[in-house]
Amino acid sequence: MKISELKYVRPDIEAIKARSAELFEAFDNASSAEEQLKIYNEYISIGENVSTQSSLAYIRFTLDTRDTFYSGEIEWMNENAPALEELNLIFRKKMLGSKFRPELEKALSPKIFKDYEIAMKAFSPVIAEDCVEEAKLQTEYKKLLSSAKIPFAGGEYNIPQLGKFKESPDRETRKSAFCAQGEWMKKNADKFDDIFDRMVKVRDRMAKKMGYKNYVELGYYRMGRDCYSPEDIAAFREQVLKDWVPFVCERKAEQAENLGIDRIMLYDDPITFKDGNPEPKGTPEEIFENGRKMYKEMSPLTGEFIDFMLEHDLFDVIAREGKSGGGYCIDLPEYKMPFIFANFNGTYGDIDVLTHEAGHAIAAYKAMNGNLPVELRSFGMETAEVHSMSMEFFAWKWMPLFFGEKSEEYCAMHLNNAISFIPYGTMVDYFQQCVYENPEMTPKQRKDLWLSLESKFRPYMSSEGIAYMEEGGRWQYQSHIYERPFYYIDYCLAQTVAFDFLIAMLNNYKDAFARYDRFVSAAGSKYFTELVADAGFMSPFKNGALRHITDELKKFAEKENI
Ligand SMILES: [Zn+2]
């Protein structure tokens, strides 16, 4: 069945509540671990149904944000999510307090129980209303961002559509595209500031109601972090400033020389080549055909995966009016289907969808078709991003299919962008930490903070002369800051592990892919730090880990002259 043919049915919340109450009672009265496991399985399958329907509503809403039916369903889901979360809370409490807990831990996994303990710290009924308000603000932000109609070069564009001009080989075009977006954002600055301010306030309120000092602590629990703390992130950040930023500065000096410019401006940052970044060849259909060929050749698993995706229409990648921006991969667990959403704009980013988002989808596909307990089929965001970012590197071998003679240029550019991402991502995370530690900051102070972090983490770059961005407004279109607090560092941790896979791959592709396959197959059954160690890599929190990567990357870049 194709995804468009799947029937959406709003979950019956009253029936779920009633059945859950029966299951909870039966759980209490159960006389064996087996009985409790049976109840566990039924309860989990209710959750899978809700999650499938909620993914379906989300997919259809993002495909057309003007669709009032699905935007209504999203609102309904948001309003009811806390009630469902309360049921989960009761269920987890019962599992944690079960007199058969040792048997349950043995049958399922002790990790599930540790993750339950963290989830208990992440939610309490006292914040239920605040969660509803937060979700409404997230939708408000998404609508604001996707409502952009930016006049540019005689046309009108939304933010993803403007992407192509922001990376034009012509420097003036790039600058004007950034300025056009900046002007639009400046016009809407009050809205951007107001939504964020309300978000900070509601999150801070949640944290305080639950007895935490501020949102940082709660934010970590809500991210489900089960094997590293803010102190570990601080240790990572120190390495970024000490070892990574100087490395980026060296490479950026070379980049400026290649581009023939004195100073890298915000609009030069992603440009590796003077005549423009390489663009993929062919129509979206041809790109997909080549994607199929690539995954067929890569491994039996990836071959099976790509056939399944194309057969069920599980990609929607053409940019259209009304479609939400960005890209994502989401699961429909009841159908064992991942779904990939993107906005193709004719740039190399289109190929990233085929590699990055497909990396997520492959991991989800494998996990959904595996036999781990349901809760171990999902994983932390940092683990998920290792799946996707490493796949971007494993796909290098097939880049001639997409870029022809420019495939080496693509790899060089990809490498540069990945290298310069780490300080940016770390800065986004640190920005949020400072914001939530100081919830009383004014919008102006937040923008000043952003500018001061820019000068520390990206000292090689300037935003001068670019409307709104020069005032420190750049972060307001970094949707994670609004929608997914503290998610961003996960990309940085994952990028470092992906670099480890790249270094391993350059040494021995087959061996590296086998290690990757192991990493993916373990899904959420192990902690992130364990998965990294199992793959034979150093923990990114350990001093020296980043230095090792920069040393290896320097050697590689010298050898390949990139
Ligand atoms: Zn991703």
Side-chain angles (χ1 to χ4, degrees), residues 19 30 48 51 59 69 122 127 142 161 185 192 240 276 285 292 306 324 349 359 392 414 419 429 483 488 490 516 524:
R19 183 64 189 144
E48 282 209 292
S51 142
I59 290 168
F69 174 75
I127 63 165
K142 204 186 279 295
Q161 289 166 337
M185 290 182 67
F192 280 110
V240 170
E285 289 73 22
R292 185 199 283 260
I306 195 76
S324 173
E392 294 176 22
H414 176 200
I419 290 171
D429 179 71
E483 298 182 47
Y488 226 64
D490 294 51
Y516 173 74

mmCIF file of all heavy atoms in Angstrom, residues 19 30 48 51 59 69 122 127 142 161 185 192 240 276 285 292 306 324 349 359 392 414 419 429 483 488 490 516 524:
data_model
loop_
_atom_site.group_PDB
_atom_site.id
_atom_site.type_symbol
_atom_site.label_atom_id
_atom_site.label_comp_id
_atom_site.label_asym_id
_atom_site.label_seq_id
_atom_site.Cartn_x
_atom_site.Cartn_y
_atom_site.Cartn_z
ATOM 1 N N ARG A 19 -9.188 1.199 28.473
ATOM 2 C CA ARG A 19 -8.425 -0.048 28.331
ATOM 3 C C ARG A 19 -7.148 -0.004 29.182
ATOM 4 O O ARG A 19 -6.770 -1.011 29.796
ATOM 5 C CB ARG A 19 -8.068 -0.277 26.845
ATOM 6 C CG ARG A 19 -7.337 -1.582 26.569
ATOM 7 C CD ARG A 19 -8.200 -2.791 26.894
ATOM 8 N NE ARG A 19 -7.455 -4.052 26.847
ATOM 9 C CZ ARG A 19 -7.655 -5.086 27.647
ATOM 10 N NH1 ARG A 19 -8.577 -5.038 28.595
ATOM 11 N NH2 ARG A 19 -6.946 -6.194 27.536
ATOM 12 N N ALA A 30 -1.277 -9.329 38.580
ATOM 13 C CA ALA A 30 -0.617 -10.432 37.869
ATOM 14 C C ALA A 30 0.186 -11.290 38.842
ATOM 15 O O ALA A 30 0.746 -10.780 39.814
ATOM 16 C CB ALA A 30 0.301 -9.878 36.790
ATOM 17 N N GLU A 48 1.977 2.270 19.950
ATOM 18 C CA GLU A 48 2.425 2.216 18.555
ATOM 19 C C GLU A 48 1.341 2.726 17.614
ATOM 20 O O GLU A 48 1.630 3.376 16.619
ATOM 21 C CB GLU A 48 2.791 0.776 18.173
ATOM 22 C CG GLU A 48 4.141 0.367 18.699
ATOM 23 C CD GLU A 48 4.780 -0.671 17.796
ATOM 24 O OE1 GLU A 48 4.243 -1.797 17.756
ATOM 25 O OE2 GLU A 48 5.779 -0.366 17.148
ATOM 26 N N SER A 51 1.203 6.483 17.934
ATOM 27 C CA SER A 51 2.361 7.084 17.289
ATOM 28 C C SER A 51 2.242 7.015 15.763
ATOM 29 O O SER A 51 2.605 7.971 15.056
ATOM 30 C CB SER A 51 3.610 6.404 17.860
ATOM 31 O OG SER A 51 4.569 6.201 16.899
ATOM 32 N N ILE A 59 2.696 14.179 8.966
ATOM 33 C CA ILE A 59 3.154 14.122 7.573
ATOM 34 C C ILE A 59 2.192 14.926 6.693
ATOM 35 O O ILE A 59 2.601 15.786 5.918
ATOM 36 C CB ILE A 59 3.228 12.652 7.077
ATOM 37 C CG1 ILE A 59 4.379 11.912 7.763
ATOM 38 C CG2 ILE A 59 3.386 12.595 5.558
ATOM 39 C CD1 ILE A 59 4.361 10.399 7.570
ATOM 40 N N PHE A 69 -7.862 20.506 8.115
ATOM 41 C CA PHE A 69 -8.208 19.264 8.797
ATOM 42 C C PHE A 69 -6.992 18.738 9.574
ATOM 43 O O PHE A 69 -7.070 18.503 10.790
ATOM 44 C CB PHE A 69 -8.702 18.191 7.808
ATOM 45 C CG PHE A 69 -8.923 16.861 8.489
ATOM 46 C CD1 PHE A 69 -10.047 16.665 9.298
ATOM 47 C CD2 PHE A 69 -7.991 15.823 8.384
ATOM 48 C CE1 PHE A 69 -10.249 15.455 9.960
ATOM 49 C CE2 PHE A 69 -8.192 14.608 9.051
ATOM 50 C CZ PHE A 69 -9.320 14.432 9.832
ATOM 51 N N ALA A 122 11.312 13.644 33.527
ATOM 52 C CA ALA A 122 11.071 14.597 32.441
ATOM 53 C C ALA A 122 9.638 15.099 32.405
ATOM 54 O O ALA A 122 9.343 16.051 31.706
ATOM 55 C CB ALA A 122 11.422 13.949 31.107
ATOM 56 N N ILE A 127 2.894 19.834 34.875
ATOM 57 C CA ILE A 127 3.288 20.665 33.725
ATOM 58 C C ILE A 127 2.442 20.359 32.473
ATOM 59 O O ILE A 127 2.761 20.825 31.384
ATOM 60 C CB ILE A 127 4.799 20.536 33.388
ATOM 61 C CG1 ILE A 127 5.163 19.103 32.965
ATOM 62 C CG2 ILE A 127 5.668 21.015 34.552
ATOM 63 C CD1 ILE A 127 6.534 19.004 32.289
ATOM 64 N N LYS A 142 6.300 27.391 13.470
ATOM 65 C CA LYS A 142 6.382 26.685 12.190
ATOM 66 C C LYS A 142 5.555 27.407 11.126
ATOM 67 O O LYS A 142 5.995 27.586 9.996
ATOM 68 C CB LYS A 142 5.857 25.254 12.387
ATOM 69 C CG LYS A 142 6.387 24.254 11.379
ATOM 70 C CD LYS A 142 5.740 22.907 11.530
ATOM 71 C CE LYS A 142 6.292 22.041 12.617
ATOM 72 N NZ LYS A 142 7.673 21.656 12.382
ATOM 73 N N GLN A 161 13.215 27.674 -0.649
ATOM 74 C CA GLN A 161 13.385 27.996 -2.074
ATOM 75 C C GLN A 161 14.484 29.034 -2.300
ATOM 76 O O GLN A 161 15.126 29.057 -3.340
ATOM 77 C CB GLN A 161 12.065 28.519 -2.659
ATOM 78 C CG GLN A 161 11.008 27.431 -2.804
ATOM 79 C CD GLN A 161 9.615 28.014 -3.054
ATOM 80 O OE1 GLN A 161 9.333 29.173 -2.725
ATOM 81 N NE2 GLN A 161 8.748 27.205 -3.626
ATOM 82 N N MET A 185 12.688 38.889 7.863
ATOM 83 C CA MET A 185 12.714 38.514 9.287
ATOM 84 C C MET A 185 12.625 39.755 10.172
ATOM 85 O O MET A 185 11.985 39.744 11.214
ATOM 86 C CB MET A 185 13.972 37.704 9.598
ATOM 87 C CG MET A 185 13.919 36.323 8.961
ATOM 88 S SD MET A 185 15.339 35.299 9.346
ATOM 89 C CE MET A 185 15.111 35.042 11.111
ATOM 90 N N PHE A 192 8.887 36.852 15.919
ATOM 91 C CA PHE A 192 9.940 35.881 16.268
ATOM 92 C C PHE A 192 10.366 36.031 17.735
ATOM 93 O O PHE A 192 10.529 35.054 18.454
ATOM 94 C CB PHE A 192 11.175 36.067 15.373
ATOM 95 C CG PHE A 192 11.039 35.450 14.009
ATOM 96 C CD1 PHE A 192 10.923 36.226 12.869
ATOM 97 C CD2 PHE A 192 11.037 34.060 13.867
ATOM 98 C CE1 PHE A 192 10.795 35.650 11.610
ATOM 99 C CE2 PHE A 192 10.910 33.467 12.606
ATOM 100 C CZ PHE A 192 10.796 34.264 11.469
ATOM 101 N N VAL A 240 36.229 21.745 21.464
ATOM 102 C CA VAL A 240 35.859 22.441 20.227
ATOM 103 C C VAL A 240 36.614 23.770 20.156
ATOM 104 O O VAL A 240 37.235 24.105 19.143
ATOM 105 C CB VAL A 240 34.329 22.666 20.148
ATOM 106 C CG1 VAL A 240 33.971 23.600 18.990
ATOM 107 C CG2 VAL A 240 33.611 21.329 19.991
ATOM 108 N N GLY A 276 31.170 28.258 -7.827
ATOM 109 C CA GLY A 276 29.936 27.756 -7.219
ATOM 110 C C GLY A 276 30.075 26.328 -6.739
ATOM 111 O O GLY A 276 30.960 25.594 -7.172
ATOM 112 N N GLU A 285 13.600 12.444 -10.824
ATOM 113 C CA GLU A 285 13.404 11.019 -11.160
ATOM 114 C C GLU A 285 14.752 10.340 -11.399
ATOM 115 O O GLU A 285 14.996 9.234 -10.938
ATOM 116 C CB GLU A 285 12.524 10.866 -12.414
ATOM 117 C CG GLU A 285 11.054 11.227 -12.208
ATOM 118 C CD GLU A 285 10.813 12.732 -12.079
ATOM 119 O OE1 GLU A 285 11.659 13.527 -12.555
ATOM 120 O OE2 GLU A 285 9.781 13.123 -11.472
ATOM 121 N N ARG A 292 18.694 4.575 -6.154
ATOM 122 C CA ARG A 292 18.365 3.151 -6.079
ATOM 123 C C ARG A 292 19.599 2.312 -6.438
ATOM 124 O O ARG A 292 19.935 1.352 -5.744
ATOM 125 C CB ARG A 292 17.225 2.832 -7.055
ATOM 126 C CG ARG A 292 16.727 1.387 -6.955
ATOM 127 C CD ARG A 292 15.968 0.968 -8.201
ATOM 128 N NE ARG A 292 14.616 1.494 -8.273
ATOM 129 C CZ ARG A 292 13.513 0.792 -7.964
ATOM 130 N NH1 ARG A 292 13.605 -0.443 -7.562
ATOM 131 N NH2 ARG A 292 12.336 1.334 -8.079
ATOM 132 N N ILE A 306 15.785 0.406 -0.225
ATOM 133 C CA ILE A 306 15.426 1.409 -1.240
ATOM 134 C C ILE A 306 14.249 0.925 -2.100
ATOM 135 O O ILE A 306 13.369 1.701 -2.450
ATOM 136 C CB ILE A 306 16.645 1.854 -2.086
ATOM 137 C CG1 ILE A 306 16.350 3.142 -2.865
ATOM 138 C CG2 ILE A 306 17.125 0.767 -3.045
ATOM 139 C CD1 ILE A 306 16.357 4.397 -2.060
ATOM 140 N N SER A 324 5.658 22.647 4.351
ATOM 141 C CA SER A 324 6.528 23.123 5.418
ATOM 142 C C SER A 324 7.987 23.049 4.962
ATOM 143 O O SER A 324 8.328 22.279 4.065
ATOM 144 C CB SER A 324 6.278 22.249 6.634
ATOM 145 O OG SER A 324 7.197 22.552 7.645
ATOM 146 N N GLY A 349 22.145 19.830 -1.598
ATOM 147 C CA GLY A 349 21.331 19.449 -0.441
ATOM 148 C C GLY A 349 20.345 18.340 -0.811
ATOM 149 O O GLY A 349 19.964 17.525 0.030
ATOM 150 N N GLY A 359 19.805 7.590 5.645
ATOM 151 C CA GLY A 359 20.551 6.937 6.733
ATOM 152 C C GLY A 359 19.639 6.727 7.943
ATOM 153 O O GLY A 359 19.643 5.660 8.574
ATOM 154 N N GLU A 392 26.189 9.630 4.966
ATOM 155 C CA GLU A 392 26.628 10.653 4.001
ATOM 156 C C GLU A 392 28.047 10.342 3.522
ATOM 157 O O GLU A 392 28.370 10.521 2.356
ATOM 158 C CB GLU A 392 26.628 12.040 4.648
ATOM 159 C CG GLU A 392 25.260 12.571 5.024
ATOM 160 C CD GLU A 392 25.367 13.907 5.753
ATOM 161 O OE1 GLU A 392 26.385 14.615 5.611
ATOM 162 O OE2 GLU A 392 24.426 14.248 6.500
ATOM 163 N N HIS A 414 31.529 18.874 1.001
ATOM 164 C CA HIS A 414 30.842 18.178 2.093
ATOM 165 C C HIS A 414 31.756 18.132 3.330
ATOM 166 O O HIS A 414 31.330 18.415 4.452
ATOM 167 C CB HIS A 414 30.466 16.774 1.603
ATOM 168 C CG HIS A 414 29.835 15.908 2.641
ATOM 169 N ND1 HIS A 414 29.788 14.545 2.533
ATOM 170 C CD2 HIS A 414 29.236 16.188 3.834
ATOM 171 C CE1 HIS A 414 29.187 14.037 3.581
ATOM 172 N NE2 HIS A 414 28.838 15.009 4.390
ATOM 173 N N ILE A 419 33.073 19.995 8.670
ATOM 174 C CA ILE A 419 34.090 20.501 9.611
ATOM 175 C C ILE A 419 33.622 21.812 10.243
ATOM 176 O O ILE A 419 33.707 21.996 11.449
ATOM 177 C CB ILE A 419 35.452 20.677 8.887
ATOM 178 C CG1 ILE A 419 36.057 19.310 8.549
ATOM 179 C CG2 ILE A 419 36.413 21.494 9.734
ATOM 180 C CD1 ILE A 419 37.287 19.356 7.647
ATOM 181 N N ASP A 429 24.061 25.163 20.804
ATOM 182 C CA ASP A 429 23.767 24.505 22.078
ATOM 183 C C ASP A 429 24.100 25.417 23.254
ATOM 184 O O ASP A 429 23.315 25.557 24.190
ATOM 185 C CB ASP A 429 24.581 23.211 22.187
ATOM 186 C CG ASP A 429 24.332 22.510 23.509
ATOM 187 O OD1 ASP A 429 23.241 21.971 23.681
ATOM 188 O OD2 ASP A 429 25.230 22.557 24.399
ATOM 189 N N GLU A 483 12.016 24.764 18.394
ATOM 190 C CA GLU A 483 11.186 23.566 18.474
ATOM 191 C C GLU A 483 11.769 22.426 19.291
ATOM 192 O O GLU A 483 11.029 21.616 19.822
ATOM 193 C CB GLU A 483 10.882 23.068 17.056
ATOM 194 C CG GLU A 483 10.102 24.079 16.242
ATOM 195 C CD GLU A 483 9.788 23.536 14.858
ATOM 196 O OE1 GLU A 483 9.333 22.402 14.760
ATOM 197 O OE2 GLU A 483 10.029 24.267 13.874
ATOM 198 N N TYR A 488 20.493 20.244 19.465
ATOM 199 C CA TYR A 488 21.525 20.539 18.484
ATOM 200 C C TYR A 488 22.883 19.920 18.762
ATOM 201 O O TYR A 488 23.595 19.550 17.842
ATOM 202 C CB TYR A 488 21.649 22.056 18.309
ATOM 203 C CG TYR A 488 21.717 22.402 16.840
ATOM 204 C CD1 TYR A 488 20.629 22.131 16.007
ATOM 205 C CD2 TYR A 488 22.855 22.940 16.269
ATOM 206 C CE1 TYR A 488 20.680 22.399 14.657
ATOM 207 C CE2 TYR A 488 22.908 23.218 14.918
ATOM 208 C CZ TYR A 488 21.825 22.948 14.114
ATOM 209 O OH TYR A 488 21.881 23.201 12.775
ATOM 210 N N ASP A 490 23.512 17.155 19.757
ATOM 211 C CA ASP A 490 23.495 15.771 19.284
ATOM 212 C C ASP A 490 24.104 15.666 17.886
ATOM 213 O O ASP A 490 24.793 14.706 17.567
ATOM 214 C CB ASP A 490 22.055 15.231 19.251
ATOM 215 C CG ASP A 490 21.465 15.128 20.648
ATOM 216 O OD1 ASP A 490 21.530 16.128 21.377
ATOM 217 O OD2 ASP A 490 20.952 14.052 21.010
ATOM 218 N N TYR A 516 29.759 -0.122 11.024
ATOM 219 C CA TYR A 516 28.566 0.728 10.920
ATOM 220 C C TYR A 516 27.294 -0.129 11.017
ATOM 221 O O TYR A 516 26.351 0.190 11.739
ATOM 222 C CB TYR A 516 28.605 1.483 9.582
ATOM 223 C CG TYR A 516 27.355 2.280 9.275
ATOM 224 C CD1 TYR A 516 27.085 3.480 9.941
ATOM 225 C CD2 TYR A 516 26.438 1.847 8.310
ATOM 226 C CE1 TYR A 516 25.948 4.210 9.644
ATOM 227 C CE2 TYR A 516 25.301 2.589 8.009
ATOM 228 C CZ TYR A 516 25.056 3.763 8.683
ATOM 229 O OH TYR A 516 23.927 4.497 8.396
ATOM 230 N N GLY A 524 18.628 0.843 19.786
ATOM 231 C CA GLY A 524 18.689 1.495 21.091
ATOM 232 C C GLY A 524 18.994 0.522 22.216
ATOM 233 O O GLY A 524 18.730 0.811 23.385
#
